[in-house]
């Protein structure tokens, strides 16, 4: 999933390790839906600033910046149907409402068929957000779902889709258990 493993430098361009570790911890908690404070947003990631240690070690700037750019894709997008509905009604997204994720597209390596993933995600979002849906999904159905893999046509990154499926199943299971 999220592997930070940054190179530690004693000189040159580097970020304060403690500040970077705190942001990464908050990012992981947001992605895994653990409550450790307010969820991290894409805007928070883009606005993150880290000091440079005067003396002592720090993380390689380029590695941290690349990691954060990749991590943006794992945070919930605010452009899904549910998110649009919430924004239209209140002027801002509703806290806790699941919005449509933005998966990376892959080609020439194994990915999931986009049409299958999109259709399933739409059903999941409708179920979790309490919208009308022909066939609401269950946590067990989410965990048992398998998507057709593609290699030559454009597909979605399988790791990102699997992470979404796992976190959504846990969320739906938690809703049912309440």
């Amino acid at each position: 999933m999220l592997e930070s493993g940054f190179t530690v430098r004693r000189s040159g361009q580097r970020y304060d390790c403690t500040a970077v570790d705190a942001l990464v911890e908050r990012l992981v908690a947001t992605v895994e839906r653990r409550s450790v404070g307010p969820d991290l947003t894409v805007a928070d990631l883009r606005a993150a600033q880290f000091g440079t240690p005067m003396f002592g070690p720090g993380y390689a700037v380029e590695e941290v910046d690349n990691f954060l750019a990749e991590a943006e894709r794992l945070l919930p997008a605010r452009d899904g149907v549910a998110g649009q509905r919430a924004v239209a009604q209140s002027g801002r997204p509703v806290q806790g409402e699941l919005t449509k994720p933005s998966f990376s597209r892959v080609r020439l390596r194994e990915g999931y068929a986009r049409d299958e993933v999109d259709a399933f995600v739409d059903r999941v979002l409708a179920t979790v957000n309490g919208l009308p849906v022909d066939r609401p999904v269950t946590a067990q159905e989410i965990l048992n779902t398998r998507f057709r893999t593609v290699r030559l046509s454009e597909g979605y990154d399988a790791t990102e889709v699997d992470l979404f499926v796992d976190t959504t199943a846990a969320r739906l299971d938690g809703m049912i258990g309440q």
Side-chain angles (χ1 to χ4, degrees), residues 104-165:
S104 299
R105 295 178 183 196
V106 297
R107 177 174 248 143
L108 300 179
R109 69 178 171 102
E110 193 170 88
Y112 290 142
R114 289 176 41 213
D115 57 337
E116 289 180 15
V117 172
D118 287 339
F120 187 72
V121 167
D122 288 344
R123 278 186 56 224
V124 168
L125 292 176
T127 301
V128 170
N129 293 325
L131 299 173
V133 63
D134 292 336
R135 289 184 355 209
V137 295
T138 64
Q140 191 61 40
E141 180 185 0
I142 292 172
L143 290 174
N144 291 333
T145 295
R146 300 291 176 255
F147 300 107
R148 180 174 43 91
T149 56
V150 295
R151 284 184 189 262
L152 297 178
S153 61
E154 192 173 68
Y156 286 134
D157 183 278
T159 304
E160 293 175 15
V161 174
D162 290 342
L163 176 63
F164 171 80
V165 168

Side-chain angles (χ1 to χ4, degrees), residues 2 23 41 50 60-61 69 80 89 101-102 110 120 135-136 140 149 173:
L2 290 174
L23 184 72
T41 66
F50 310 105
V61 167
Q89 290 175 351
S102 177
E110 193 170 88
F120 187 72
R135 289 184 355 209
Q140 191 61 40
T149 56
D173 198 32

Side-chain angles (χ1 to χ4, degrees), residues 28-116:
V28 170
T30 298
V31 169
E32 293 178 353
R33 299 275 183 207
R34 290 185 284 126
S35 179
V36 296
D39 282 350
L40 191 69
T41 66
V42 171
D44 294 333
L45 273 185
R46 291 179 180 166
Q49 294 183 351
F50 310 105
T52 301
M54 183 72 74
F55 302 104
Y59 290 137
V61 167
E62 185 176 316
E63 291 177 14
V64 173
D65 290 344
N66 289 339
F67 173 81
L68 295 179
E70 287 292 315
E72 283 185 25
R73 300 178 314 163
L74 297 175
L75 293 175
R78 296 293 182 202
D79 61 354
V81 173
Q84 290 173 354
R85 180 176 59 85
V87 169
Q89 290 175 351
S90 68
R92 57 181 167 52
V94 173
Q95 179 69 22
E97 186 168 65
L98 190 62
T99 58
K100 191 167 187 169
S102 177
F103 301 118
S104 299
R105 295 178 183 196
V106 297
R107 177 174 248 143
L108 300 179
R109 69 178 171 102
E110 193 170 88
Y112 290 142
R114 289 176 41 213
D115 57 337
E116 289 180 15

Side-chain angles (χ1 to χ4, degrees), residues 9-15 51-54 56-62:
R9 293 183 174 168
R10 297 229 172 252
S11 63
Q13 292 187 326
R14 61 198 190 284
Y15 288 139
T52 301
M54 183 72 74
Y59 290 137
V61 167
E62 185 176 316

